[in-house]
Structures are given as structure tokens and as C-alpha cells.
């Protein structure tokens, strides 16, 4: 018999059968851009492939790699490091092994990860596309820890990559250890744009919210008793055998509940009477299973498989009703081992033998066999009496297969469904257990979830947690610890360290600066005196002091390392000791507190005094005087001109010249006098020139709205463009000025004080002047 695999879905969707499910469920995880940092709020979605090893419950932060032959993705002048043979698609599609594309390999470093992005396709005439699983496998061999496949179609719809229907590609499943999925074309173009020019991009892949969490995890295994479907059937048998003991332990502890299921199909209505439907279905094409070897004329039939599936379902029903649901694992494993198609033992007779061997008849207080047989044959007649009826146990299977708003539908084999959502990844013990562990509340996972074969021990030497927590850092002196958790790790930072988070949100131990972040500089006497210093070190601190002032005669003004004035030069300063030693205690304390104190740093520095030039170091040329003391403004380190005409510079540093000239006080009064004169000139210009011009312009503007008594009529500015005002008989034009001026107090027309008795006369005169045509606005009457 041939080994025709049962997967993928396209094999099951022939002209003969209709899959009884609502739709194919796409499980998605999240992607976050860590760098460039201005894209850190960008979120991308990816559809998980139905193979590989997703890091359920965890995250993976890694550098994005795009193995393209396009030089625009590399620094200017750098040749692409990858080039595939001419008869193979370009490297960016990942169809050819990268070892044949110039030996391309991604560098691997402990605790660091690589996320490779490849394109879907290629498509078009003459193109040679390849399966998703081939792209992912080639990327894994080149050093990728996760793989993103960019869709080549526009839109937000994503699909789930499944295993091809041939044993060659299905066999790759056993060797795949990375997670993979598809991203949209738009998101792929975004990432490519960030990579151009050789720029670096870091992504965080997140699987923490893929599966719903609950204190008791409910999971299902959708399988088949068929053992002639090649690699896929072998994987199912191996999984049942290897997971059996662990599954029984978890179920007995009450941490999980488990239900086995078997996928079903219906025969198309117009094919019910065909030989194919008769040999692969029961009850008139209502429930069907595909022929194991694809040939309905020989060997075992789909109906044989369906009957055995029903027996296994009914065994679980009996065992569950007896409070022993974990016995299903013993039954399925024993049947797969002893009732094979190859040995011609597959069928109901062998099913009865296994049932009896496991003590099935003693279940349900000795009624186990009766209930088992009744379950396998309990047909409910059709309501109208015309149809073949329904088998109760399989009707329940169809409802579970359809799913609902909270439960994903099932359409491929094998499938694991955890808390109502489908698990994506290889069907192996470690992968499925990791999926189960991720469905528990964080921190409440069973102890087995922390074992290294289930989740990576990120705290082992060289691991991500080991490095982030600085466990092996010599400065930590063994004070930092890394605790491995199911989802990641946790840092326990010892004395001198503080727990923080990096850009990706992962925990790290950072040096605690006791000198700046604590009150040690105030409370520790060794650090708190005026000439004491707190020196921050990685993982600790130290106090020094009190430190002497080395810019004193006792220490030879900088231990003899700084320039000192000669006795001749001291005469210009009244015999005062002049030197280049500067007490730098404040700078020393500041640098020490920040932990950046240079090696060999001291509390002084050599720096020439004001109005001297040089490096300040000991020796006759250490500092040269630019001017005599009375010409030096020390605060600004500048020399003022010598108004007496005498010498102003000491030349080589010995210093000579006249003491006569304008002193510092004289210079001050000269500057003050200059400023006063300038201010006076500016005020005079304003008072006699600018003010007069402004008065003239203001009066000109005002004359447009009112007659000015002291302004001749022939000098008044016309209203607009030299036009005459309208005649008195015309209604006055309205504008925003009318309202403004009508609501404000009247503007006085003259500065002459008018006696009370003359007020009426003046008002009448003003109003008369307007009515005679001087101006259309009457400021003596209210305007509405």
C-alpha cells in the first residue's frame, strides 16, 4: 500500500467530500520594532506557520536580516554577501540553500538572535517558487532563529503555512527548530525601507498573548487511527506514545482537562450512492473518512478507519464517566502498537482486545463493555423518518469541529487546540507542552514547564538572562543572580546594582550610582567632608578624603608641576606669589561621583592666571604675561589699552614697563561716560526728529475721521484716493470704525479748556461743521 499523507487540507477537499467546518483559523502573534527607536510604537502582525517551534509564552529580540542581492540594502561600496546560481531564484526568496549562494551564513553570538526575512514566491513565467517549509529550513541552516515570510499580495489577509503533501518535505518537520510565520506585504515594505543603506533594525517577536490563559487549561488533540498516511501518521503515533505519561500526570493533578477528537467529512449529496462514498462513509454519507491508501478497490477502507475512530471515542466516553479519562492515552497507544494495518490486525476485533486488556469491562461498576457498545451504535432516527439518522457520538464531534465565537474551527490533521485556540508548531512533546504552559497564568505554570527541554534556560552561561543580569561580570563579585522563568528570566540584582529594563522591556542589572542616587555623600563621614569625594565604581563605591589643597606653598603649588612667577615678576604684584596651580576639588568630586574620574586624576590643575598665556606647566615658558597687572581685567581675562603710552606686556614673562596710565577705575568711568553720551544722542534724535515725524503722521490719519481745529482745510487728507466726501444728503457709510468710535468716549478736538457755558455751542458748531460736508461721521450723536 502507498504512503499517501493525510495532510494538507487540499488533499481532503476533493470533488467527493465536503469538510464539515466553518473556516480555516489563522493564529497571529505580535511584532514590535525596537530600533530605529522612532518606530518603537509600530506594531506588526504575523500569521504563525503550522510547523516549527513557536516560543509560546515568551519573546525573542533579534536583529533583522534580509539576504538580498540588491546592493541598495548594503553600505555604499559594499558588495552583497549573497549571490545564488543563475538557475535558482534570487537569495531573497530563500528557495536555494544559502550554502550554494556564496556560502552565505549569519554570524551567531551567545545570547543574541537573528530574525531572517524572506519573500514569498517568486511568481511569474519561468519562476521556480518553493514551499514555505523549504524557505524556513534554508534560513535555519543559514543561522536564523526565526523566519518572517513577506506576502506577495496586497491586503491585510494572511494565511497559515502548512506542511506539503509529500513525505520528503514532511520529513523536514523533525529538523525544524525555529518559529516562522507570514507578514503582510505592507509591513514587509516598511521593514525593507528601514534596512536600506545597511541600516540596522531590531525586532521583538512576542508569543505571550497567542493562547488564552486560565488556571485550569483545557486542551484537545484532533487525530486519526489511520496508520498508513506516511510521515504525518508516524508523527501522531510517536506523539501519543511519548506524551502519554506526561499527559496522564497533568490530568491526574487536576491542572488540565483533555479531550480527544477525530476529524470528519461529509459526502456530497450527489455522490452519496457512489462506490467511493459507500466505502468511506456510514449512515448514507453523513460521516466519512478518507481511504487510508487512496484506493477504494483494495485494502482497508475509510469506513474501517471511521469505525475504529468511533470505538476510541467511545472508550474515552466510558473512561471519562468512570473518572479515569487519562486511560484514553493507554488505549490509543496500545491500539497503535498492536493493531496495525501492516499486520492485518486493524479493525474492531483488535479494538475489543485492547479494551479488555485495559480493564474496560470493569469500568462503570462492571458496565463498561455495555456502555462502550451502546455508544458505538447509538443511532438517533431522522425526525422525518426518511433519512438514515445520526450517530450521537459523531454529532458531538461535528459540533466541536465547527467551533464557535470563542473556539477556533478545525480543518487539518493533526491539530492541537488549547483553551479554544489552535496551537501552531511541530507535533512534539516539548512544543505542545510549551503551548500548554503558556496557557497558565504567568508564574503559576507547573514545575515541568521550567525544565530546560521545555523552555530555554536563559540563565545558563552565555544566555540572554545571564548576560542581561551581569551574573558573570567581575565587578558584580557574584552578587547578581538570574532566575529562569517559563516566559523569560528574572534578575536579582545585589548590592551596588539596580534592576531596570532595556529598550525591549527585558530586565537588566545596571550599576547603582550610590554617589548620586543615595544619601551616602551626606551621611558617610568619609564622603561628606568639604574636601572628601565619593567615587562611584561598577557595582560599588569608595570614599576618599579629606584631600589636601595642593595649591599651597606646603605642596609647592602643585607639587612643583605648575609654573611659578620669578622673583622679578612678583614685584609687579607687590611680592605676591603668582603661580598656575588651580584647586580643582569641585571638578574632582563631580567626576568621581559620576564614575568617570580619569586615571591619575588629582585635585589640582595647572592653568595660567588671568592675562597670562601658556600651558601652565613648570618652567620659564609655562606662562607669559600679556599686560601689566593694572591693565588686566581678571574677571574677563582681558587686557585694556595703556592710555599712557607705556609698555603693556611683560614679553617673556619677566614683566617690565611704566606703572603710569589710566587705572581700572578710570577705564570704568570712560566706558560709563561713552554709554551716557550715546544714550543722550539717541534721546535727542527721538525727541526732535522721530517724535515730530510721528506727530505729523498721526494727525494726518486722524484728519480722515475728524476735523482738527488748528489744521487748515486744504491740508486735510481726503477720505480715499483724494475723493471728496459725500454730500450731506447721502446716508453716512457704515464701517467697523463707526461702531468702534461710537462706543468709545468722544475724542477731544482741541487741547483748550472749554467753559461749561460754551459746551453746547462747541458741540453744535462741531456738528454743523460735519453737516456742511467736512466729514460724514457725527461724533456728537450715537450711531446704531
Amino acid at each position: 500500500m502507498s504512503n499517501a499523507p493525510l495532510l494538507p487540507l487540499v488533499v481532503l477537499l476533493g470533488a467527493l467530500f465536503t469538510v464539515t467546518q466553518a473556516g480555516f483559523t489563522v493564529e497571529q502573534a505580535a511584532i514590535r520594532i525596537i530600533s530605529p527607536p522612532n518606530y518603537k510604537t509600530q506594531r506588526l502582525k504575523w500569521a504563525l506557520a503550522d510547523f516549527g517551534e513557536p516560543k509560546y509564552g515568551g519573546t525573542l529580540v533579534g536583529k533583522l536580516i534580509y539576504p538580498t542581492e540588491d546592493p541598495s540594502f548594503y553600505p555604499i561600496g559594499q558588495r552583497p554577501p549573497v549571490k545564488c546560481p543563475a538557475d535558482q531564484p534570487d537569495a531573497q526568496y530563500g528557495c536555494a540553500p544559502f550554502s550554494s549562494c556564496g556560502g552565505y551564513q549569519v554570524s551567531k553570538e551567545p545570547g543574541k538572535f537573528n530574525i531572517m526575512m524572506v519573500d514569498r514566491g517568486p511568481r511569474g513565467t519561468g519562476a521556480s517558487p518553493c514551499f514555505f517549509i523549504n524557505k524556513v529550513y534554508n534560513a535555519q541552516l543559514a543561522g536564523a532563529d526565526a523566519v518572517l515570510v513577506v506576502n506577495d499580495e496586497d491586503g491585510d489577509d494572511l494565511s497559515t503555512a502548512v506542511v506539503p503533501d509529500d513525505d520528503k518535505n514532511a520529513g523536514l518537520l523533525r529538523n525544524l527548530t525555529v518559529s516562522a510565520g507570514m507578514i503582510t506585504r505592507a509591513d514587509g515594505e516598511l521593514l525593507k525601507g528601514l534596512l536600506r543603506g545597511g541600516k540596522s533594525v531590531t525586532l521583538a517577536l512576542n508569543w505571550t498573548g497567542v493562547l488564552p490563559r486560565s488556571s485550569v487549561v483545557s486542551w484537545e488533540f484532533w487525530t486519526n487511527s489511520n496508520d498508513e498516511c506516511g510521515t504525518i501518521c508516524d508523527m501522531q503515533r510517536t506523539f501519543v506514545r511519548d506524551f502519554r505519561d506526561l499527559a496522564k500526570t497533568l490530568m491526574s493533578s487536576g491542572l488540565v482537562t483533555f479531550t480527544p477528537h477525530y476529524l470528519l467529512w461529509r459526502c456530497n449529496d450527489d455522490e452519496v450512492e457512489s462506490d467511493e462514498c459507500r466505502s468511506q462513509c456510514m449512515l448514507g454519507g453523513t460521516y466519512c473518512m478518507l481511504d487510508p491508501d487512496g484506493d477504494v478497490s483494495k485494502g482497508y477502507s475509510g469506513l474501517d478507519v471511521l469505525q475504529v475512530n468511533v470505538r476510541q471515542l467511545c472508550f474515552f466516553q466510558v473512561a471519562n464517566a468512570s473518572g479515569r479519562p487519562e486511560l484514553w492515552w493507554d488505549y490509543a497507544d496500545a491500539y497503535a502498537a498492536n493493531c496495525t494495518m501492516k499486520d492485518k490486525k486493524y479493525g474492531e476485533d483488535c479494538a475489543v482486545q485492547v479494551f479488555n486488556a485495559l480493564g474496560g469491562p470493569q469500568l462503570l461498576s462492571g458496565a463498561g463493555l455495555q456502555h462502550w457498545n451502546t455508544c458505538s451504535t447509538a443511532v438517533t432516527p431522522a425526525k422525518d423518518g426518511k433519512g438514515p439518522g445520526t450517530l450521537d457520538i459523531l454529532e458531538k464531534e461535528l459540533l466541536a469541529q465547527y467551533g464557535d465565537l470563542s473556539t477556533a474551527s478545525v480543518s487539518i490533521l493533526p491539530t492541537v487546540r488549547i483553551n479554544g485556540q489552535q496551537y501552531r508548531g511541530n507535533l512534539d512533546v516539548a512544543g505542545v507542552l510549551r503551548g500548554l504552559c503558556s496557557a497558565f497564568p504567568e508564574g503559576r505554570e507547573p514545575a515541568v514547564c521550567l525544565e530546560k527541554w521545555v523552555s530555554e534556560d536563559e540563565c545558563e552561561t552565555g544566555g540572554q538572562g545571564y548576560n542581561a543580569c551581569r551574573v558573570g561580570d567581575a565587578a558584580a563579585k557574584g552578587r547578581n543572580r538570574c532566575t529562569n522563568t517559563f516566559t523569560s528570566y528574572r534578575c536579582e540584582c545585589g548590592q551596588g546594582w539596580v534592576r531596570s529594563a532595556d529598550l525591549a522591556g527585558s530586565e537588566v542589572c545596571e550599576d547603582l550610582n550610590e554617589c548620586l542616587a543615595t544619601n551616602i555623600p551626606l551621611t558617610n563621614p568619609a564622603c561628606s567632608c568639604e574636601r572628601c569625594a565619593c567615587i562611584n565604581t561598577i557595582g560599588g563605591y569608595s570614599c576618599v578624603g579629606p584631600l589636601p589643597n595642593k595649591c599651597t606653598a606646603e605642596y609647592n603649588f602643585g607639587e612643583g608641576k605648575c609654573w611659578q612667577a620669578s622673583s622679578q615678576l612678583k614685584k609687579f604684584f607687590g611680592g605676591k606669589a603668582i603661580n598656575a596651580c588651580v584647586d580643582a576639588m569641585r571638578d574632582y568630586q563631580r567626576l568621581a561621583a559620576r564614575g568617570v574620574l580619569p586615571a591619575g586624576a588629582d585635585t589640582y590643575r595647572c592653568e595660567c592666571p588671568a592675562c597670562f598665556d601658556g600651558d601652565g606647566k613648570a618652567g620659564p615658558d609655562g606662562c607669559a604675561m600679556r599686560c601689566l597687572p593694572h591693565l588686566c581685567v581678571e574677571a574677563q581675562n582681558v587686557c585694556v589699552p595703556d592710555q599712557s603710552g607705556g609698555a603693556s606686556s611683560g614679553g617673556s614673562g619677566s614683566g617690565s614697563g611704566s606703572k603710569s596710565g589710566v587705572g581700572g577705575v578710570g577705564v570704568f568711568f570712560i566706558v560709563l561716560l561713552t554709554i551716557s553720551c550715546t544714550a543722550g544722542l539717541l534721546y535727542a534724535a527721538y525727541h526732535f526728529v522721530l517724535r515730530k515725524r510721528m506727530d505729523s503722521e498721526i494727525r494726518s490719519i486722524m484728519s480722515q475721521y475728524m476735523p482738527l481745529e488748528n489744521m487748515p482745510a486744504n491740508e486735510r487728507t481726503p477720505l480715499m484716493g483724494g475723493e471728496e466726501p459725500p454730500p450731506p444728503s447721502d446716508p453716512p457709510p457704515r464701517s467697523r470704525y463707526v461702531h468702534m468710535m461710537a462706543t468709545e468716549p468722544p475724542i477731544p478736538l482741541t487741547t483748550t479748556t472749554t467753559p461749561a457755558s460754551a459746551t453746547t455751542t462747541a458741540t453744535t458748531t462741531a456738528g454743523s461743521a460735519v453737516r456742511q460736508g467736512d466729514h460724514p461721521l457725527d461724533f456728537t450723536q450715537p450711531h446704531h
Side-chain angles (χ1 to χ4, degrees), residues 396-407:
K396 294 178 181 178
E397 287 299 284
L398 288 179
L399 291 176
Q401 188 171 319
Y402 292 150
D404 53 33
L405 293 178
S406 61
T407 305

Side-chain angles (χ1 to χ4, degrees), residues 637-700:
N637 191 23
V638 296
C639 295
V640 297
D642 186 359
Q643 300 297 326
S644 65
S648 63
S649 173
S652 64
S654 59
S656 63
S658 174
K659 293 185 180 181
S660 64
V662 181
V665 177
V667 172
F668 171 77
F669 281 109
I670 292 174
V671 173
L672 182 62
L673 179 61
T674 303
I675 294 174
S676 300
C677 292
T678 303
L681 291 174
L682 292 175
Y683 177 76
Y686 162 76
H687 186 75
F688 294 105
V689 180
L690 293 179
R691 183 174 178 181
K692 183 176 181 181
R693 183 178 299 174
M694 290 172 61
D695 287 345
S696 174
E697 292 179 356
I698 292 173
R699 291 173 63 83
S700 176

Side-chain angles (χ1 to χ4, degrees), residues 119-137:
D119 291 323
R120 187 179 185 181
R123 296 193 185 187
T125 305
S128 301
C130 57
F131 292 115
F132 273 58
I133 194 170
N134 299 122
K135 297 174 183 285
V136 176
Y137 186 66

Side-chain angles (χ1 to χ4, degrees), residues 38 143 200 354 396 437 485 672 675 749 780:
N38 52 324
S200 178
V354 174
K396 294 178 181 178
C437 293
T485 65
L672 182 62
I675 294 174
L749 303 182
T780 63

Side-chain angles (χ1 to χ4, degrees), residues 241-571:
R241 181 194 66 204
D242 295 345
F243 202 77
R244 181 190 64 184
D245 293 341
L246 180 58
K248 292 170 64 177
T249 300
L250 293 174
M251 294 171 69
S252 299
S253 68
L255 295 173
V256 302
T257 61
F258 168 76
T259 307
H261 289 289
Y262 296 79
L263 203 62
L264 298 170
W265 290 268
R266 289 188 186 275
C267 226
N268 292 333
D269 292 340
D270 58 348
E271 300 286 346
V272 170
E273 300 301 326
S274 66
D275 292 340
E276 287 80 4
C277 279
R278 289 181 182 275
S279 68
Q280 301 181 82
C281 306
M282 67 170 54
L283 296 178
T286 304
Y287 314 107
C288 306
M289 281 300 300
L290 292 181
D291 190 277
D293 59 7
D295 188 348
V296 298
S297 64
K298 62 180 181 179
Y300 289 100
S301 67
L303 180 58
D304 294 330
V305 175
L306 184 57
Q307 290 172 341
V308 173
N309 289 351
V310 170
R311 284 294 184 175
Q312 295 192 5
L313 278 171
C314 289
F315 180 84
F316 175 77
Q317 188 179 85
V318 172
N320 190 43
S322 303
R324 302 284 307 281
E326 70 279 0
L327 287 178
W328 176 89
W329 290 91
D330 293 323
Y331 184 94
D333 182 38
Y335 189 89
N338 299 288
C339 308
T340 65
M341 293 180 178
K342 179 181 179 181
D343 295 333
K344 307 298 182 182
K345 293 182 178 181
Y346 186 89
E348 291 198 46
D349 291 342
C350 195
V352 173
Q353 295 175 13
V354 174
F355 182 83
N356 293 332
L358 292 175
Q362 287 73 46
L363 297 174
L364 291 178
S365 302
L369 181 58
Q370 177 184 349
H371 281 80
W372 189 48
N373 290 329
T374 301
C375 170
S376 303
T377 58
V379 177
T380 301
K383 293 182 179 180
D384 57 5
K386 298 179 180 179
T390 57
L391 189 63
D392 295 345
I393 190 71
L394 294 184
E395 279 299 301
K396 294 178 181 178
E397 287 299 284
L398 288 179
L399 291 176
Q401 188 171 319
Y402 292 150
D404 53 33
L405 293 178
S406 61
T407 305
S409 60
V410 178
S411 59
I412 59 176
L413 285 178
T415 289
V416 172
R417 197 160 62 182
I418 301 175
N419 283 346
Q421 298 302 312
Q422 291 185 14
Y423 159 86
R424 297 299 186 201
N426 290 344
L427 186 67
D428 56 40
V429 177
V432 173
L433 180 57
R434 175 155 195 147
L436 292 173
C437 293
S438 72
F440 286 96
E442 189 172 352
R444 294 171 56 185
E445 304 89 356
V448 67
C449 297
L450 299 180
E451 294 186 12
K452 187 175 180 179
W453 63 274
V454 181
S455 62
E456 302 85 353
D457 185 358
E458 300 185 45
C459 294
E460 66 181 357
T461 302
Q464 183 178 356
Y466 180 89
N467 294 332
C469 298
R470 308 282 288 273
V471 176
D473 197 315
K477 299 178 181 179
R479 293 194 290 259
N480 293 348
R481 296 180 58 192
C482 175
T483 301
N484 189 50
T485 65
F486 170 70
T487 57
S488 182
Y489 61 88
R490 187 168 182 81
C491 292
E492 298 177 23
C493 307
Q495 181 181 357
W497 300 83
V498 61
R499 188 168 59 197
S500 183
D502 59 16
L503 291 176
S506 301
E507 288 191 5
V508 295
C509 282
E510 293 184 342
D511 171 50
L512 171 64
N513 191 324
E514 295 89 347
C515 298
L516 296 179
T518 70
N519 62 354
I520 286 177
L522 300 177
T523 58
N524 190 328
C527 285
S528 59
C529 72
E530 183 178 0
R531 295 194 66 84
C532 293
C534 177
I535 303 176
N536 183 62
T537 58
I538 301 297
Y541 74 97
S542 62
C543 295
V544 295
L547 301 175
N549 183 350
K550 295 185 178 180
C551 291
T552 60
E554 180 182 358
Y555 288 89
N556 192 20
F557 302 105
E559 302 173 311
K561 299 177 182 178
C562 297
W563 171 87
Q564 298 182 40
S566 63
S567 56
Q568 181 182 3
L569 186 59
K570 289 180 182 179
K571 296 178 181 179

Side-chain angles (χ1 to χ4, degrees), residues 609-613 624-627 631-634 637-639:
C611 300
F612 280 78
D613 293 327
M625 188 170 65
R626 282 188 277 118
C627 59
L631 300 179
C632 177
V633 181
E634 292 188 15
N637 191 23
V638 296
C639 295

